[in-house]
Amino acid sequence: MTTGWQGVAALVSAVFAALSGSGNPAPIDDYGWPLYPQPAVVHPFEAPPQPWAAGHRGVDLKGDAGQPVLAAGAGTVSFSGVIAGRGVIAIQHPDGRRTTYEPVDDRDPLGTVEVRGDRIGSLAAGGHCGSTPCLHWGLLVGKDAYRDPLMLVQDRRVRLLPLG
Ligand SMILES: [Zn+2]
């Protein structure tokens, strides 16, 4: 009798090992929108058809120039600088995720420890939404794999399904 419950237990263990190794299924309860009140999504995430191809590696959130930009979750500022003329700030979260925000002025400096909702800077004009100010919000998991950041603020609905 080698393929009974022991086989099932081994399978379950393997599945859990695979899950914990993916770097993705950490709880998302501790994340929230980076703008307040909850912003409109101007432009959704579009995964590139190939890793090297163009896409839209984040979401654009409607805002007002000068509006506070908030840490989507607890973490440490891992980048704060200017890229191609735009202020960019990134937060490394303890679960391995990294969130990025641009264009942001008056940014907190590298190494600042943030809790969810902390002001990390202010939304600058000149984002890529034309005349409408918007925050480009990005999410990276693991080795620079871009994901849809809306998963951080929308997937929680699944948790409300009744059990049984
Ligand atoms: Zn964008």
Side-chain angles (χ1 to χ4, degrees):
M1 200 174 124
T2 57
T3 57
W5 64 268
Q6 287 175 317
V8 173
L11 178 60
V12 169
S13 295
V15 168
F16 271 98
L19 286 174
S20 61
S22 73
N24 199 19
I28 61 170
D29 298 16
D30 295 334
Y31 289 91
W33 293 90
L35 296 176
Y36 181 87
Q38 180 175 325
V41 176
V42 180
H43 191 183
F45 178 85
E46 292 168 9
Q50 303 291 344
W52 59 85
H56 186 232
R57 301 176 181 199
V59 294
D60 295 333
L61 307 176
K62 190 174 186 297
D64 296 315
Q67 178 176 356
V69 175
L70 312 175
T76 303
V77 175
S78 59
F79 181 86
S80 180
V82 176
I83 298 177
R86 287 185 188 148
V88 178
I89 185 167
I91 298 177
Q92 179 69 55
H93 305 285
D95 61 10
R97 292 184 171 100
R98 185 153 42 108
T99 49
T100 66
Y101 313 76
E102 68 175 276
V104 177
D105 285 341
D106 192 22
R107 297 169 302 277
D108 278 355
L110 184 70
T112 306
V113 176
E114 313 282 2
V115 299
R116 172 183 165 183
D118 273 355
R119 181 192 177 283
I120 58 175
S122 57
L123 181 60
H128 62 188
C129 298
S131 58
T132 303
C134 71
L135 177 71
H136 179 93
W137 184 32
L139 168 65
L140 296 99
V141 178
K143 292 186 176 179
D144 293 344
Y146 284 87
R147 303 289 172 83
D148 185 351
L150 294 187
M151 68 183 285
L152 297 176
V153 289
Q154 293 185 336
D155 277 3
R156 70 191 58 189
R157 280 179 301 178
V158 173
R159 297 170 56 84
L160 300 178
L161 290 173
L163 296 174

